[in-house]
Amino acid sequence: MSINYAEKIPNNVDLANDRTLQRALEHWQPHFLEWWHEMGPSDFEKADVYLRTATSVDAQGWASYGAVKMPDYRWGIFLADQTPGRTIGFGDRMGEPVWQQVPGEHRSTLRRLIVTQGDTEPASVEQQRLLGHLCPSLYDLRNLFQINVEEGRHLWAMVYLLHAYFGRDGREEAEELLARHSGDADKPRILTTFNEPISDWLSLYCFTYFTDRDGKYQLKSFAESAFDPLSRTCRFMLTEEAHHMFVGETGIGRVVKRTLEVMKELGSDDPVKIRAHGAVDLPLLQKYLNFWCSSSLDLFGSEISSNAATSFASGLKGRPDESQYQDHVLRDVVLKLDTPEGAQDVPMLNALNEVMRESYLKDCEIGLKRWNRAIERAGHDFRLTLPSSRFRRAIGSWVGLPVDPTGKLLPKQEYERRLHEWIPSNDDRAFVRSLMQKVTEPGKMAAWIAPPDRGINNLPLDYEYVHVA
Ligand SMILES: [Fe+2]
Ligand SMILES: [Fe+2]
């Protein structure tokens, strides 16, 4: 169904024919806009931003580009088309028709899963609220705002499900999604990573590389869900998510490129000299990767989890790309897990968080290979790496253990003494902050980052992507 933009809430779910739901969402809409005004990008409400807006949900031409003031962005409800005859693809009820309504016995679990996903979307907008004042270019500023409006739309996606399928509880949860705030002492966001401040653009690129990629994996596993409206919502969200990870991967790539140029100019890889020249030395970048990767790994939950087992067995949440696996029921399979007490055989169903974490880490390697190739081509031995998934765990069997980024258990004192060899110290963060000088002249770039290979939607790099009135 094509998207109806004539209505107050753009949608392709025939909202006009469900007056009760339409009224409920029209009641929530001003609360959302108020939240955007207070917690969204600070001070850019009057700026014209070159944004893409969804026009249809199919692969061809779903995006139309044009100058938009962010508060006028057409947030709405867009679901991927229904797959006729779709059946459940995994778990104990495999092969049965998918559900168009929520079965009573799964109501509270599904609501919790949707609320947890929904909570991350506005959280990231809040985390990135002040970055516009420190942008390295108009191109980057526009990308930040594109991500922000789309995360706002992802909130709409989850709020629609809550309103449409969870009655009064759902409506209350939708209000709560606007009441919790990232980093708030009394009402924080649900997951730790989404309460970490993002106060510089190096953190933003790492966040969009690692944390938005966690989002991709969560959405992929929901896209498999037996609850069809959730599956369809997430399938469309994934098309938007790709751009967020692109911003992360190319952003870090451009930092590496610029650093290599500075190293060549200086004829040195001495971090002190590189920093004095206003660039990010590679060991410093490694610390940022360690921080955001390890933080994002916690989002997959404990290695051994009965919740994961239940969600899979009952068809609520599959593995990303479920169809690529042979066995979709997993009743008689075990997985060998490395725990601090040694290798342990765990029923596969209970180890699914770990299965997801492993495939996520593989996906994370792709960017590293690309960045390392650039470093190698420039003739340097340094290689960027991903930290061990045991490093800095705040959840699961490795929680709180003094493990270094290679996965080696250390004496606690040594770990504490050396922690800031591996993640940014206050001085490191202050240095990165000092690089963040706002650049808003069309086509110009901050000195710590190389320009991108091309502009947005085939426009030149010096196009005025954001026009500040
Ligand atoms: Fe999102
Ligand atoms: Fe995202």
Side-chain angles (χ1 to χ4, degrees), residues 151 212 241 244:
E151 301 302 9
D212 281 275
E241 206 59 53
H244 309 178

Side-chain angles (χ1 to χ4, degrees), residues 117 121 150-151 154 212 219 237 241 244:
Q117 178 62 39
E121 314 288 357
E150 286 176 356
E151 301 302 9
H154 292 176
D212 281 275
L219 295 177
M237 289 165 79
E241 206 59 53
H244 309 178

Side-chain angles (χ1 to χ4, degrees), residues 405-455:
T406 68
K408 200 172 120 210
L409 205 54
L410 299 178
K412 197 166 174 60
Q413 270 183 331
E414 184 184 349
Y415 173 84
E416 274 161 16
R417 183 165 42 82
R418 296 181 58 192
L419 184 60
H420 288 296
E421 290 175 24
W422 307 315
I423 60 169
S425 65
N426 286 338
D427 285 352
D428 293 329
R429 289 186 184 280
F431 168 70
V432 171
R433 271 299 293 233
S434 77
L435 296 179
M436 301 293 129
Q437 309 293 338
K438 183 179 184 178
V439 177
T440 54
E441 200 182 318
K444 289 273 173 312
M445 288 289 141
W448 56 274
I449 189 165
D453 290 340
R454 59 190 68 83

